[in-house]
Structure formats: C-alpha cells, structure tokens
Amino acid sequence: MTETAIRSRDNPIFKRLKKLAESSRARREARMTLLDGEHLLAAYLAAGGTPHTLVRAESCDAARLAAVADCRQAKTVVVPDALFAELAPVATPTGVLAEAAWLTPQAPVDLALVVVLEDIQDPGNLGAMLRTAAAAGATLAVLSKGCHDAWSPKALRGGQGAQFVLPMQLAADPGSWLRDFSGTSVALAPEAAHDLYTLDYTGPTALVVGNEGAGLSAATLAAATTRARIPMPGRVESLNASAALAVAVFEALRQRGVRR
Amino acid sequence: MTETAIRSRDNPIFKRLKKLAESSRARREARMTLLDGEHLLAAYLAAGGTPHTLVRAESCDAARLAAVADCRQAKTVVVPDALFAELAPVATPTGVLAEAAWLTPQAPVDLALVVVLEDIQDPGNLGAMLRTAAAAGATLAVLSKGCHDAWSPKALRGGQGAQFVLPMQLAADPGSWLRDFSGTSVALAPEAAHDLYTLDYTGPTALVVGNEGAGLSAATLAAATTRARIPMPGRVESLNASAALAVAVFEALRQRGVRR
C-alpha cells in the first residue's frame, strides 16, 4: 500500500474530498460520499463496496488502516491533522475516512415492507430511521426531496451502515409513489381514527412517517390508503419520528411472525 | 411585567445562567435548569411549573414572552443577542429562555412500567427515550450515574417536556435497583435466548436498555430477571438504543391492551 501525502488545501484531491464532506449537491453529482471511521468502512466492505480513496490523519497509525481487510487496492492519502479535521463530520475525528461510491443494494424478493419518509430533516433521526428499516429487513425506503441527504456523513453515522444494504429511492414524491403502490399504505398521524394495532400488516405494506415537527403533508396523507395512530396513554402527546417508525415497523414484523 | 437589562458578562444573574447552561454539577446543586424556547416553557407551565426567571434576547419581541400565559410573576431579564447566544444550546437560538427548577412529578398509581437506562450518553438519544417513556405513561425512569444529565438543555430539547411529567430516579445503580424491584425485569440484549414477543409484560415490568455502543454491563444483565432480544431479520444487526426502547415499551402497552 503506497501513500500519497497531501500538504495543502489547494491539493486537488483535498478539494474534491472537502466538497464531498460539505455539499450534498457534490455528493449527488458524483454519487460518492465520505465514510468516517473504521466501523462504517468495515460495513461498507462487508456490503461489497470498494472504497475509492482512503484518507488517514497524519497522527493516526497506518496499521489501523491496514487492519481493515481488502483495502489494499485503494489509493491512500495522508493529510495533516488540521486538514483532516476539516473533512471529518465530528468534533473528535477518528483519523480514518474513505471516499466511496454510493451503493445500490438489490431489493429483497420478500413481501414488501416499505418505509416512506417525508421531510425528515435531522440527520441523526434520518440515519436512525434507515437503521431501523434495515434491521427490520425493509424492502425499500422512499425518501422525499425534503429529507436530509441520506448519504451525508452525519446521516451515515446515524445509519451505522444501513445505507449500504437498504434499497432507497431518493428525492421521491411520496404522494405519487403511494398512488402507484398496490399494497396497503399506512400513514402515521396522531389524529387518525384507527389505532396501529387494529390494522393488518401481513400483506404488502408501506409505513409513512412525516417531518419531526409538522408531521405529514395533506397531499401525502390523502395518498395513503389508511391512517393509524400509536396509542399514547402518557402525559406527553407525541413520539420522536424515529421512535414512531420503530414501533410501527416492528408491529408489522410481529404480525408477520418474523422471529429471526 | 418589568424587565431588567443585562449588559455585561460580569452581571451576577448572567453568570448564574451561564453556569446552568454549561455545568451539570451546577444544575444538580441548584436543582435548576434552563428551558430553551416557548415550546418547552409552555410544557413546563402546563405541568404546573413556575419559572424563576425569564430571559429574552434583545432582538426578540417582548410580545412573544408575554404570549406565554401565567408568566407575569416571573422576573424577566433582557440580554444582548451575543450574550444570549452563549446561553442557548442551539446554533440558531429561539430568543427565549427560562431559568426553572426541576419538577418532581408524582408516580401514577398505575401498574408499574419502568424504564431502566444504563449509561445513555447522547443527549438526543436520552431525551428521545424519556419522551417515549412519558408518551407510554411509564411510571418511572431509572437513570444510571453514567447517563447524560437528564436536565441538560440538549436532553430537555430531545425530551420535549418528558422530564416535567415522568418520575425519574437519577444517578441510580441499575443493579441494586433491579434487585429491589419485585416485578419482572427484562434486559434488552442482542444475544438473548428469548425473543421480545414471547414474554409477558402484563404484570409489573421494568425494561432495561444499555449504552449505545457497549450495551448493558454484566452486573446489570445479571440483576435482571430475564433477557430478551428484538428479532431483526435484516442485514443490519442492531437498532439505535432509543428505537429498541420504543419497540419494547410499546409491545408492553399492546399486551396490556392500552388503547388511549
């Protein structure tokens, strides 16, 4: 493994990496992102991905990178810690980054279990929701245009590798997607007449969750075949969007008798 | 409502507020915190709390504070925007803060449903977990010493008012609490033999969730009466701690037939 040292902000590779760190547009145009840390890199490799460039902070031991298997073909660049910090999404950088292409995992042939996410704006929330969907074996995540970028470094951190294994349809129009869906679509809404547990999720199902504050738009609510609320007996009247999605997705699995 | 203008960082009120913003020890010793924004302030008032001091950023219209009911007795201070920003927990401050005493809500007399949280370190996660417990009508949250401060401005933001209505036992030792608990305690652990849905939560129940990365300590696992895993058929092997808690808590409610 040969390493290239980058010394300056004017280096073209550094400029390219910095754009990927900061701009969702740059990520979208290149269909690339930056993976932060060995854990995400290992998940990417496990999912069959091949990183394009590995980035090591100068103070980070080269052996740490070498320990991650199968990366020998990737080009490695070493950057001074101050420059590395400009690329890393967290205050205490791990010292290891990878420039990597988006993966497009195949949809499982299982019975459809789709999550439709409208305008989820917090990267941590979005990442957690994708992680929940991936853990549940969801067949697809449909993300509206107003969602935070699913491939941003912060969303990747929240997703813990979910983006590498979960088929996603990005920048979608939830209303038209729901109108084309032939299964049952259930919009989670606090004012719904049905309670979550009275509905049947054993057929092809899409679960629809809206923005953290505003909930679902009228257009999306109208396009879903039914609405459900999660019964909340407590003195706080709503759940975090990510918690609500988890409750609904795992109720669907429970009804399907999934026991893995 | 008369207002006092603060002009300097040396003002004793400002110094006191700044300590509450920054130090969990200061909050613990005074049993006070800072509430950020009208939403939290309204939730605090609705729960029966009386704020001690209201803080308004100079650029924030005084009418916004006046619109929050029943605050006329509280002292109001006005601070320059630059000083206000030092007190606010978010990058884009709301312009309204309240210095407020911790509330100690009474435990409902309902059938016990306790959440035991060990070393939850992310304030957003902790807040979301308290919000889930409050929405579910949990009777108590037991927080280990290693948990993030439940009364920090960031945890309050994630909790959306949960801290005002949910009885909490702070800085607890989960192992000894569990040994004293006479109901069933279920530790969520990925390697558990039982699947979540095969257990009975219709009696007094404590649900036990561990640290985001490390999970539960051996001592806490040993103190719980049983262990359960959430079946995950997907290609990602774990849920966010907050999502896992939501799935378990709402499974307990479902079994109890709670339909409010």
Side-chain angles (χ1 to χ4, degrees):
Chain A
M1 186 159 69
T2 60
E3 293 191 330
T4 306
I6 291 181
R7 295 269 151 242
S8 140
R9 276 185 189 78
D10 295 328
N11 178 294
I13 299 175
F14 182 80
K15 282 177 160 174
R16 187 181 77 212
L17 297 171
K18 182 129 193 205
K19 272 197 178 159
L20 287 180
E22 292 176 349
S23 157
S24 63
R25 182 175 173 169
R27 291 190 291 268
R28 196 170 60 241
E29 286 176 356
R31 293 183 65 83
M32 303 281 284
T33 189
L34 287 186
L35 312 178
D36 179 46
E38 289 120 312
H39 180 85
L40 264 186
L41 178 54
Y44 185 79
L45 293 165
T50 308
H52 182 275
T53 307
L54 299 175
V55 188
R56 178 171 73 79
E58 210 159 44
S59 67
C60 165
D61 191 340
R64 270 181 57 201
L65 257 190
V68 184
D70 290 332
C71 278
R72 282 170 213 149
Q73 294 164 333
K75 177 177 182 168
T76 300
V77 299
V78 186
V79 300
D81 289 12
L83 292 194
F84 189 92
E86 292 186 24
L87 301 176
V90 289
T92 45
T94 58
V96 173
L97 284 168
E99 184 190 29
W102 294 5
L103 299 182
T104 49
Q106 294 299 303
V109 291
D110 301 356
L111 183 64
L113 179 60
V114 180
V115 300
V116 179
L117 309 178
E118 185 172 61
D119 299 1
I120 302 296
Q121 279 165 356
D122 179 79
N125 259 348
L126 182 68
M129 292 167 96
L130 297 173
R131 186 177 173 191
T132 293
T139 51
L140 177 67
V142 175
L143 279 67
S144 75
K145 219 170 197 167
C147 279
H148 176 87
D149 174 15
W151 288 98
S152 83
K154 283 185 179 171
L156 285 164
R157 190 156 171 258
Q160 298 271 312
Q163 286 88 335
F164 310 147
V165 299
L166 176 68
M168 296 189 287
Q169 186 169 327
L170 304 179
D173 171 358
S176 62
W177 190 90
L178 288 168
R179 277 188 294 276
D180 288 344
F181 180 59
S182 59
T184 303
S185 50
V186 180
L188 294 186
E191 72 286 359
H194 294 294
D195 129 9
L196 182 77
Y197 304 107
T198 60
L199 300 175
D200 178 2
Y201 309 99
T202 59
T205 303
L207 297 164
V208 193
V209 177
N211 173 268
E212 292 94 340
L216 287 165
S217 67
T220 300
L221 275 174
T225 55
T226 185
R227 302 177 191 186
R229 64 184 165 75
I230 299 174
M232 292 181 209
R235 292 170 65 198
V236 163
E237 82 283 9
S238 73
L239 286 176
N240 175 293
S242 155
L245 180 75
V247 170
V249 166
F250 280 86
E251 170 59 11
L253 289 193
R254 189 193 65 79
Q255 288 193 11
R256 293 175 179 200
V258 172
R259 288 293 181 271
R260 256 181 300 170
Chain B
M1 187 159 66
T2 60
E3 294 190 329
T4 306
I6 291 181
R7 295 269 151 241
S8 141
R9 277 187 189 79
D10 295 328
N11 179 294
I13 299 175
F14 182 80
K15 282 177 162 172
R16 188 181 77 212
L17 296 171
K18 181 128 194 207
K19 272 198 179 157
L20 287 180
E22 291 175 351
S23 157
S24 63
R25 182 175 172 169
R27 290 190 290 268
R28 196 171 59 240
E29 285 175 357
R31 294 184 64 83
M32 302 280 283
T33 190
L34 287 186
L35 312 178
D36 178 46
E38 289 121 312
H39 181 86
L40 265 186
L41 177 54
Y44 186 79
L45 293 165
T50 307
H52 182 275
T53 307
L54 299 176
V55 188
R56 178 170 73 78
E58 211 160 42
S59 67
C60 165
D61 191 340
R64 271 180 56 200
L65 258 189
V68 186
D70 290 331
C71 278
R72 281 170 213 148
Q73 294 166 334
K75 177 177 181 168
T76 300
V77 299
V78 185
V79 301
D81 289 13
L83 292 193
F84 189 93
E86 290 185 25
L87 301 176
V90 288
T92 44
T94 58
V96 174
L97 284 168
E99 184 190 28
W102 295 3
L103 300 182
T104 49
Q106 294 300 302
V109 291
D110 302 357
L111 183 64
L113 178 61
V114 181
V115 301
V116 179
L117 308 179
E118 184 171 61
D119 298 1
I120 302 295
Q121 282 166 353
D122 179 80
N125 259 349
L126 182 68
M129 291 167 96
L130 297 174
R131 186 178 174 192
T132 292
T139 52
L140 178 67
V142 176
L143 279 67
S144 75
K145 219 171 196 167
C147 279
H148 176 86
D149 174 14
W151 288 97
S152 83
K154 281 185 181 174
L156 285 165
R157 190 158 172 257
Q160 298 271 313
Q163 286 88 336
F164 310 147
V165 299
L166 176 69
M168 296 189 289
Q169 186 168 325
L170 304 178
D173 171 0
S176 62
W177 190 90
L178 287 168
R179 277 187 294 276
D180 289 343
F181 180 60
S182 60
T184 304
S185 51
V186 181
L188 294 186
E191 72 286 358
H194 293 294
D195 129 9
L196 181 77
Y197 304 106
T198 60
L199 300 175
D200 179 2
Y201 309 99
T202 58
T205 303
L207 297 165
V208 193
V209 177
N211 173 268
E212 293 93 340
L216 287 164
S217 68
T220 299
L221 275 174
T225 55
T226 185
R227 302 178 191 185
R229 65 183 164 75
I230 299 174
M232 291 182 210
R235 293 169 65 197
V236 163
E237 82 282 10
S238 73
L239 285 177
N240 175 292
S242 155
L245 179 75
V247 170
V249 165
F250 279 86
E251 170 60 10
L253 289 194
R254 189 193 65 80
Q255 288 192 12
R256 292 175 180 202
V258 172
R259 289 291 181 273
R260 255 180 302 170

